[in-house]
Every structure is written in C-alpha cells, then in structure tokens.
Amino acid sequence: MNSSGKITAVAHQTSSLRLSIWLKPVVFLMCLLPLLFNVTGLFQGKLGANPVEAILHDFGLWSLRLLLITLCVTPLQMQLRWGAVAKLRGMLGLFAFFYALLHFTVWLVLDQQLSFSSALADVIEKKYITIGMLALTGLLLLALTSNRWSVRRLGVRWKALHRIIYPLAVLTIIHYLWQVRANDVLEPAAYLVALLVLLIWRFIRMIKH
Amino acid sequence: MIIKAANKIRSSEITSEDVFLKRRELLQAAGLALGATTAAMLPGAGIAASGDGPEGQKLDGVTAWADSTSEKQTPWAQATSYNNFYELGTDKTDPQKNASRLITEPWSVEVNGECAKPGKYTLEDILKPHALEERVYRLRCVEAWSMVIPWVGFPLSDLLKRFEPNGNARYVQFQTLHDPQRLPGQQYPVLQWPYVEGLRMDEAMHPLTLMAAGMYGRVLPNQSGAPLRLVVPWKYGFKSIKSIVRISFTETQPDTSWNLSAPREYGFYSNVNPTVSHPRWSQAKERRLDGDGKGLAALFAEKQETQMFNGYAEEVAGLYSDLDLTKNF
C-alpha cells in the first residue's frame, strides 16, 4: 500500500468511527418506531375494527423484516467495505427477536386470552403455528447467546450456532406463507426472494474463498 | 328531523372528512365546547357531521323484522372499514379505499338455468315488488371474528319464486360482477374470478336467507357488496356473496369460489360450527367486533363462544338432520 492509500484508509476509519457514534442510537430509535406506531394508533383508534389482529400481524411482519435486515448487514459490510455497519448486526437481530416475542405475547395474551389449553392445541394442530414456535425458540437461543461471554465461551461453535439464523428466516417466511388466504402471496414471496438473494450471495462468497 | 334534512344534501355538498376534521381542530383550539347537536347545526356539516355515522341514500318504507337480535350492533364505521371483498383488495381496509371504483349504475341480474322465467332483469325489476325489511343478524366470518349488522332486504325465497324454478332446480348459484376495471382486485389471480357461491334449494328458500340491498337504513355501500348481496346468517360470511349479477338454477351442486381455492379448508356448506376446526382457525370462539377498536378496552375484550349455526340452530338445524356435518363442512 502506498502512502496516499494509507491516508485514505485512515480517513475512512475516522469517518466511519464518527458515523458509528450516531449510527447505533439512531437505528435503535428507528427500530422502536413500529412499537410506537402501534401504541399511538391504538389510542387514536387508527388500527381499525380489530386492533388485536392488526397489532399481532404488524409485530410478526416487523420481526421478519428485521430478520432480513439483519442478514443484509454482512453483505453491506463486505461489499461497501463499511465496517461500522457490523456493529448493528447484533442489535438488529435482537430487535427481530424482540418483535417475535411481542408477536408471541400478543398471540398468547390477547388472541388466546391466556387459555393455555387452546394455545397448546393450536401449536399442535395448526402447522403454521408449530413452525412459528420453532422459529421463536431458535431466535430465543440466538438472543441468549448474543453476548460477549457466550462468544468467548462458545468459540468457533458460536459462529456455527448463529448461522441458524438462515433456516430461522426460512421458517418465519413459511409461517407467514402458510396463513395466506387464497393466492395472496405477493408480500411473503417478496421476502422469500430477498432471502434467496442473500443466500446466493453467501453461496458465491463461500465458493470464492 | 335533522336526519331528514341531511338526506336532501347531495354527496357533492357534503364536507369532506379532511375539511371537517380540520374545522373540528380549529374549533377545539378556540376552546369551544361544541356538543354533537351544535356541530350538526353547522352549515354543510350534514350527514358527515359525526365522521363515522351511516352514509349514503336512506331507504324509505323499511319495516322492522320481529326476530332481530337485540345484541349490540357493530358501529357503521367498523362494519364499512373492515371487509373481506377481495375484488376490491385483500387487506381488510382495501375495499373501503377502492370502493369508488365499483360503479353500480346501471345494474342488471341475469337469471338462467332450471326455471320458467329466465332473462335479464334490471336492478329495479328485481327490487320493485318487494317490501324492505330491517333484519339485525349476527355475521360470523370464518376468520373467527363476528359483527352484528342491521341489514335491509327481503327474503331470497320471494325473489326466487318469481323466476318459477322447475323440478330440476336442486341448487342455486350466484355470481359476482366480473369487471377488473370496476373491481380492480380481479386484476390479480388471488381467487378464480368471477366469485361464485351456491346454496341448496332448501337453504335458498329458507325464511332466514336474505337478499340485501341496504344496511343501517341506507343503500349498501360498495365495499359491503352494493347493490345486491346475499346474507345467509348461519353460514360463514364468505357464503354471503356480494354484488350479484347472475342467479342460476342448477341440478347439480355448483362450484363455489373458496372451495375451488382450497377444498380441504372450505366445504360447500360452510355452516358455522364450533366443533369442526378449520386448518387455520379454531372455530370454538369468536371476537365480536362491536366497539370502536380504540384503547385498551378493545385489546382486552373477551372473546365469546361460537354458537352452532351461529345461534340459528333452532331455525335451520332441521335442514341438515341427515348430514354428517364433520364430513360436509
């Protein structure tokens, strides 16, 4: 590397350092917006005739969207050589779990109204709910091990464990697809395409290296 | 008195909701405590005054049916903004947003099949001989929610008799308008278009089966299936086909749209039945949508037990005495 290259690299580092200072808190607040909109919408009566269903669906959708956004972090980091963005990965993943947990809680408390027998029957009988529970359990596992202690403790196995985010995203999309009525598959299909693109990117990288 | 006066106001003269809401904000800002009565007296406020009261042309000479349910009615605003009418979009709020696309004048209904008087009947031909009745029915959607709606219409049997169905007429099929311009949802192959539904002849002739032209004392809003729709209160809502343009008397069981789409999930009968679980939704309970959907109360309102035949078992159970309802779901 010549000297001008070094200077550019250093300049790049400082600018991304500056970026990283505001990036994380801004994205953190943005991730709270879906929750905020649902709360304000509820009290303004803007969630429609069936607010439980509206909130349930919205939290589920945001969990999936955040899961896919989380998976975009590494490609962004590699393709744009934008190191700072990597710091968002853990937080975005935790928000995906946060909305999955809210989605589950709304289902259990407001939809099933804490009737554990009927909730359990639905988990067993309705395949899309079985799949959803499986995905939630996986996300819980990732959330519990997304701390420095676990990274150190698990070593190389940590990376292998956290790769299950891909199958979890697949499960989440199936969970969504299986409850679509008739052929109204446009939105879940779009998420599926996004996931496929991310998987292909991973695959190509794997072959190259 | 106020309602009568409001009725004469043409829709072009009605203050748009936006303008009205702005005016309300202005009044509130000025610290004026205006009651509903005062607000209704404001020039131009008219029937849009409440912002969510019934709108549309008022129907005259409607008599009250004696057996209406006295349960709390779903507010007009909720009944007209939470609809399954895939021809106007698949989100619950889409039909209201796209309602203006559905032009219902002129409208005619083709009658064909096993009957003595087939032909093309204008909407006026269809409606003219019938006295309108208001019937408050429970409406149970297969998605495990329900509403209570004051329909305005007349028994379907009175209409069908006019076409003199013959001895071969064992079923009757209905078809929704097929026009992707007026029903833009039909531009997408979400279901096989046009939407079709059907009833066994004895179900069609049952006194509870209603041909509706209105609700809440007004003509049907487009998102609710204007200008003519079926209401079969003991069956899941999708049987109550909207915006009808064809009635066919048939000898064999006709196709029905949801059955074509997913035969494992939706049978021909689709009677409300809490003991037969649907692959997506347990049918044991339902969420009654009769509030304004606002605040914590709307979140924690308790679901209620779904009744056999949606609470109309006494009237209709006899139709199915020789049928295994688990198989014929």
Side-chain angles (χ1 to χ4, degrees):
Chain A
M1 200 184 272
N2 60 31
S3 63
S4 75
K6 266 181 202 158
I7 290 163
T8 323
V10 169
H12 186 75
Q13 257 176 15
T14 29
S15 76
S16 61
L17 197 71
R18 236 180 274 134
L19 209 63
S20 70
I21 291 169
W22 58 260
L23 190 62
K24 210 168 170 179
V26 166
V27 174
F28 181 89
L29 291 175
M30 278 168 66
C31 287
L32 285 173
L33 288 180
L35 175 61
L36 183 76
F37 285 148
N38 275 289
V39 172
T40 55
L42 175 69
F43 288 100
Q44 292 170 348
K46 284 184 178 161
L47 299 183
N50 196 348
V52 173
E53 183 192 63
I55 291 173
L56 180 70
H57 289 175
D58 204 50
F59 286 165
L61 271 175
W62 276 106
S63 176
L64 172 56
R65 287 169 189 157
L66 283 161
L67 207 54
L68 293 173
I69 292 170
T70 307
L71 291 176
C72 289
V73 170
T74 304
L76 274 179
Q77 182 193 352
M78 303 279 181
Q79 297 301 129
L80 305 179
R81 299 182 193 286
W82 186 18
V85 78
K87 292 184 176 160
L88 297 176
R89 189 168 36 211
M91 188 181 77
L92 286 166
L94 280 171
F95 266 113
F97 169 70
F98 173 67
Y99 280 102
L101 195 64
L102 284 177
H103 176 65
F104 168 77
T105 309
V106 169
W107 172 75
L108 186 66
V109 178
L110 303 179
D111 184 64
Q112 298 292 321
Q113 308 201 315
L114 289 172
S115 162
F116 293 99
S117 57
S118 99
L120 192 65
D122 268 8
V123 170
I124 295 165
E125 284 168 21
K126 315 271 183 264
K127 272 184 290 171
Y128 75 93
I129 300 182
T130 320
I131 297 269
M133 289 302 292
L134 213 62
L136 180 69
T137 312
L139 286 176
L140 174 69
L141 197 67
L142 297 191
L144 289 176
T145 56
S146 77
N147 48 66
R148 275 188 203 152
W149 183 80
S150 299
V151 178
R152 247 181 288 132
R153 188 70 202 267
L154 292 167
V156 282
R157 283 172 303 163
W158 188 90
K159 217 166 184 178
L161 174 67
H162 279 249
R163 285 220 175 97
I164 70 165
I165 191 168
Y166 285 98
L168 293 181
V170 174
L171 289 181
T172 307
I173 293 174
I174 293 173
H175 170 68
Y176 183 10
L177 265 172
W178 278 0
Q179 53 195 302
V180 160
R181 264 84 88 192
N183 304 321
D184 189 24
V185 292
L186 220 60
E187 195 174 349
Y191 295 130
L192 194 62
V193 169
L195 181 63
L196 279 176
V197 170
L198 288 163
L199 279 170
I200 290 168
W201 181 87
R202 275 266 167 196
F203 187 70
I204 292 173
R205 245 187 87 78
M206 206 176 72
I207 292 172
K208 272 189 183 168
H209 296 274
Chain B
M1 235 156 52
I2 289 165
I3 296 167
K4 271 274 182 218
N7 195 23
K8 282 174 194 149
I9 297 168
R10 279 181 288 132
S11 65
S12 57
E13 291 170 358
I14 296 169
T15 314
S16 81
E17 195 180 11
D18 283 1
V19 174
F20 172 70
L21 289 176
K22 269 188 206 127
R23 179 193 293 146
R24 182 146 64 179
E25 274 166 28
L26 211 70
L27 291 173
Q28 275 167 354
L32 291 172
L34 279 175
T37 336
T38 329
M41 277 151 49
L42 287 170
I47 50 178
S50 71
D52 34 48
E55 285 169 36
Q57 193 199 323
K58 220 177 160 213
L59 291 165
D60 293 321
V62 179
T63 58
W65 182 57
D67 295 329
S68 282
T69 175
S70 56
E71 287 157 273
K72 187 183 177 208
Q73 290 177 17
T74 299
W76 159 274
Q78 274 65 36
T80 54
S81 63
Y82 188 82
N83 305 98
N84 280 324
F85 192 8
Y86 281 15
E87 287 86 336
L88 288 174
T90 53
D91 273 357
K92 293 282 187 297
T93 50
D94 286 344
Q96 184 178 50
K97 288 178 195 151
N98 298 323
S100 63
R101 295 286 295 271
L102 175 57
I103 293 153
T104 57
E105 284 169 36
W107 194 272
S108 62
V109 180
E110 189 197 337
V111 177
N112 60 24
E114 305 289 343
C115 68
K117 290 187 171 168
K120 202 165 184 174
Y121 295 82
T122 66
L123 184 65
E124 210 199 348
D125 292 336
I126 297 272
L127 298 178
K128 208 166 39 186
H130 303 281
L132 293 176
E133 222 174 20
E134 177 169 88
R135 295 188 178 197
V136 188
Y137 280 158
R138 291 175 288 275
L139 171 79
R140 172 61 156 80
C141 178
V142 71
E143 295 166 345
W145 53 265
S146 62
M147 293 183 174
V148 176
I149 311 274
W151 301 107
V152 179
F154 49 91
L156 177 68
S157 61
D158 292 350
L159 176 67
L160 296 189
K161 279 177 204 158
R162 287 168 52 198
F163 310 129
E164 298 174 14
N166 61 38
N168 290 333
R170 294 180 54 222
Y171 296 90
V172 56
Q173 190 189 42
F174 305 87
Q175 185 193 307
T176 296
L177 172 73
H178 190 199
D179 182 347
Q181 289 309 308
R182 287 189 281 170
L183 293 172
Q186 290 174 340
Q187 289 163 18
Y188 309 94
V190 176
L191 287 167
Q192 274 182 45
W193 309 119
Y195 193 88
V196 283
E197 255 308 334
L199 295 171
R200 224 168 54 186
M201 206 59 192
D202 57 348
E203 296 176 321
M205 301 306 278
H206 192 279
L208 280 180
T209 307
L210 195 73
M211 191 53 106
M215 58 195 248
Y216 297 82
R218 317 276 171 150
V219 295
L220 282 172
N222 290 348
Q223 63 268 38
S224 303
L228 199 64
R229 68 167 291 168
L230 196 65
V231 181
V232 194
W234 71 92
K235 292 177 179 284
Y236 293 122
F238 64 86
K239 294 292 291 182
S240 295
I241 184 171
K242 301 182 177 87
S243 305
I244 296 168
V245 294
R246 186 173 59 77
I247 299 175
S248 307
F249 297 97
T250 65
E251 197 171 356
T252 53
Q253 185 176 300
D255 283 343
T256 58
S257 284
W258 281 100
N259 179 251
L260 289 177
S261 166
R264 216 172 52 83
E265 297 183 32
Y266 311 95
F268 174 78
Y269 287 96
S270 294
N271 293 316
V272 176
N273 188 341
T275 66
V276 175
S277 187
H278 182 277
R280 296 162 198 272
W281 309 278
S282 159
Q283 298 296 7
K285 287 187 174 188
E286 67 199 51
R287 184 176 292 282
R288 177 59 59 81
L289 305 179
D290 58 6
D292 58 4
K294 204 170 168 178
L296 289 177
L299 288 191
F300 290 96
E302 210 178 327
K303 292 211 265 187
Q304 57 188 66
E305 305 280 333
T306 289
Q307 303 173 76
M308 189 65 202
F309 296 114
N310 201 21
Y312 299 98
E314 206 178 301
E315 293 92 332
V316 301
L319 295 172
Y320 310 103
S321 49
D322 57 346
L323 216 59
D324 179 350
L325 293 173
T326 313
K327 281 182 192 145
N328 298 282
F329 53 85

